[in-house]
Amino acid sequence: MTAATLFTPNIPSQADDVSDATSFDTQALDISTDSREYDDVSEDGNDEDMIDEQFADAQAPTESAYFRKLQKKLRRQVSWAIRDFNMIEDGDVVMVCVSGGKDSYTLLDILLLLKRIAPIHFDIVAVNLDQKQPGYPEDILPAYLNEQGIAHYILEKDTYSIVKSVVPEGKTYCSACSRLRRGSLYGFAKQIGATKIALGHHRDDMLATFFLNLFHGGALKSMPPKLLSDDKQNMLIRPLAYVEEKDIIEYAKLKEFPIIPCNLCGSQTNLQRAIINDMLREWDDAHPQRLASIFKAMQNVAPSQLADRELFDFETLSLDRDNDERLFEGDNIQAGQTDSLAEIGLPVSPRTQTFNPKFASDKPYSTETDKAAQNERKAQKIPTINPVI
């Protein structure tokens, strides 16, 4: 196999008659953020119904209604992410990084579905980096991509040996492996003119990264759905940002993707990410809405309520009081050491106002008579009504 092999199929135009009925269409998918849960929400849009009917017609009769419902759910969630973060634009060449795992297979499959119905034109090219791991089945992924008629490149680079040589014994390989892989893919994306790099990270990956940084990195950050590389040469997108991992697992199982396991880590155990993932799964089992709430919090950041001095200007905060006086709402104020209070210019007899408006008088502030009446009311017993048994 050469260093970079390319297969470009001659794909006939499909579903041109439904190009206006797109999942990127804000009219068809104009749903408020608060109502966007990770369930399959039924809508009344005629365009969506037409799309689903045409997809159902194109699918094999053996595919179940459950599969079509799950596929529709994933298609909508990916559409929402693309729309919310403007991930794909007209004329884009989207380089989908395919590792042979369930996430990247699902990403590629859903993007190809959306490409058929989008009102904009964009191209998709799959790219796999063969890192020369011992025993890696290098024929599986090209065979699948060729069978599906998907334009793709297979890049060969022995990053495995580099990772093994630079990472000390007992340390995890993931970070070094990721950096090497990302550097190779960044450069290749620019080389072929790809305008977006699509990665298969999903919602649970983003949550796990958030907690890894929180627990071990001392930073409040995660994986953003869209990211401009530090050198501003590449734009990364994560269209699966709203998709739960358990749905991807089920989808990959139903689609029977030829999964290639990552065994670079070998027998490495107790990886921090694996521990975090186990924690998230336990939370999801015990509290089904907890992960959705945490992910929503990542989209609803209040910088003034945290402690990042670079993110919010705490230093120049200043008062901007008006002349309206708000009196203490209560029964009494005990002013101790009145001489000391008077010495620093503070009132020795601050006024109060009635706390419960039910007992408020016509006077704006309580008087001694009001206080006596309040004390009398306190002394009165509340009548007890015996319940009828």
Side-chain angles (χ1 to χ4, degrees), residues 2 43-44 87 97 102 110 113 121 142 158 176 188 211 213 217 259 285 322 363 373 375:
T2 59
E43 293 181 16
D44 296 328
M87 292 184 180
C97 299
K102 60 178 173 39
I110 297 298
L113 288 177
H121 173 77
D158 187 4
F188 187 70
F211 283 106
N213 283 305
I259 303 298
D285 292 339
D322 52 33
K363 300 177 182 179
N375 293 332

Side-chain angles (χ1 to χ4, degrees), residues 149-196:
I150 300 170
H152 66 272
Y153 293 94
I154 304 296
L155 312 179
E156 297 180 358
K157 183 175 182 178
D158 187 4
T159 61
Y160 173 83
S161 299
I162 299 174
V163 170
K164 294 285 286 185
S165 65
V166 299
V167 176
E169 188 68 27
K171 298 294 183 179
T172 59
Y173 303 138
C174 297
S175 179
C177 178
S178 177
R179 285 197 301 271
L180 285 171
R181 184 171 62 249
R182 191 182 304 121
S184 298
L185 293 173
Y186 279 13
F188 187 70
K190 185 177 179 181
Q191 179 181 343
I192 64 174
T195 54
K196 301 288 173 58

Side-chain angles (χ1 to χ4, degrees), residues 321-363:
R321 284 180 172 171
D322 52 33
N323 293 325
D324 294 336
E325 185 179 15
R326 179 179 177 180
L327 303 183
F328 171 71
E329 296 178 348
D331 300 326
N332 185 33
I333 297 176
Q334 297 183 20
Q337 296 293 332
T338 56
D339 292 342
S340 300
L341 290 171
E343 183 177 344
I344 59 179
L346 298 178
V348 295
S349 300
R351 295 178 296 176
T352 64
Q353 61 182 348
T354 305
F355 173 69
N356 193 334
K358 178 179 178 181
F359 305 121
S361 63
D362 294 334
K363 300 177 182 179

Side-chain angles (χ1 to χ4, degrees), residues 17-21 45-55:
D17 55 337
V18 295
S19 61
D20 292 335
N46 294 330
D47 289 343
E48 280 288 297
D49 294 337
M50 181 178 67
I51 295 168
D52 294 330
E53 290 175 3
Q54 299 207 15
F55 277 146

